[in-house]
Every structure is written in structure tokens, then in C-alpha cells.
Amino acid sequence: MTRYYDTIAEFERDGYDIIVDKSWEDLNPRDLFDDCVTDLDQLCKDIDSGQLDWFMLRVRVMVEGLELADEYVGGCLYADAKEVLTDGLAEDLIDQAMTHAKTQVYRLSRVFTELSHAVDAELV
């Protein structure tokens, strides 16, 4: 089954392209919450009716269309998914993905240098 994502935000930071998007959450809210925390029946009705957004959040860090890193978190419950952009959740994932992406830049630069030398040798 193909998973579809809806973009919440897309922007540039420090030369990297950041994409924040969401997809449906496979887990049932009953697997994460119990009745002592909230009225689960009402919570599920609010999700089903679209009053609450229940989703998995994904953050990707890209350069020139190449994905360097991604981070995910599930079980997100908001009245509006864009709230993740202001409450710190997306920012935490962005920080984690950026840290991983930066390690990939160094590794990939070595790989591309070797490939570049190989291509140059073929042309000679």
C-alpha cells in the first residue's frame, strides 16, 4: 500500500530544504490512550468527523532533491496539524534530521569526489 503525505510546510534553512508533512496514523487512539486520560469514544468521534487531526508527522532534509535525512513521530493529535509548527514538535524533529543530514554531507562528499575522479578518468 502506498502511503500518501500532505505537506504542512516547506522552507529553506542553512542551505537545506526542509519538508514537514503528515500521513494517516495506523495506530488506533485506543492503543495510546485510556479512558482515565480522556473520553475515548468522543475522541474517536472527533477524529472520524475531522474535528481532530490524528496523524504521523514526517520531517525530511533535502539538498538539490536528494533526501539526506528524515525523522518520524506518530500519534499526533491536533485540532489543526499546522500546530506542530509552533508547539516545538516539528522543530525537535527538524533538529534531529538536520544533525543526521550534516553527517551525511561529509560522507557523501567523499563518495561524490571518488565518483567524480572515476568519471574524469573515463573521459581521458
Side-chain angles (χ1 to χ4, degrees):
M1 178 189 311
T2 302
R3 183 171 287 277
Y4 295 97
Y5 291 88
D6 295 317
T7 301
I8 297 172
E10 194 168 346
F11 53 92
E12 185 272 333
R13 180 180 291 174
D14 300 331
Y16 298 90
D17 296 318
I18 309 295
I19 301 170
V20 180
D21 51 26
K22 67 175 186 150
S23 185
W24 73 85
E25 176 56 80
D26 295 322
L27 291 174
N28 187 302
R30 295 179 191 285
D31 295 336
L32 296 178
F33 301 108
D34 60 31
D35 279 324
C36 69
V37 173
T38 187
D39 180 353
L40 281 176
D41 289 333
Q42 185 61 48
L43 181 76
C44 291
K45 287 177 188 174
D46 290 344
I47 290 168
D48 291 340
S49 71
Q51 290 180 308
L52 291 175
D53 206 352
W54 175 246
F55 59 95
M56 179 181 67
L57 185 68
R58 174 178 73 169
V59 169
R60 294 182 293 155
V61 177
M62 319 271 288
V63 171
E64 296 291 323
L66 175 67
E67 184 175 309
L68 298 178
D70 60 5
E71 292 291 333
Y72 297 82
V73 67
C76 299
L77 181 65
Y78 290 85
D80 181 350
K82 290 187 177 191
E83 291 176 46
V84 300
L85 301 173
T86 59
D87 74 352
L89 179 59
E91 197 58 43
D92 287 346
L93 286 183
I94 291 167
D95 288 343
Q96 292 171 25
M98 289 284 288
T99 298
H100 185 238
K102 289 175 182 177
T103 65
Q104 296 303 314
V105 168
Y106 177 71
R107 183 185 67 77
L108 289 172
S109 70
R110 290 191 334 245
V111 170
F112 286 132
T113 298
E114 291 173 14
L115 289 172
S116 179
H117 291 308
V119 168
D120 288 345
E122 289 177 12
L123 296 175
V124 174

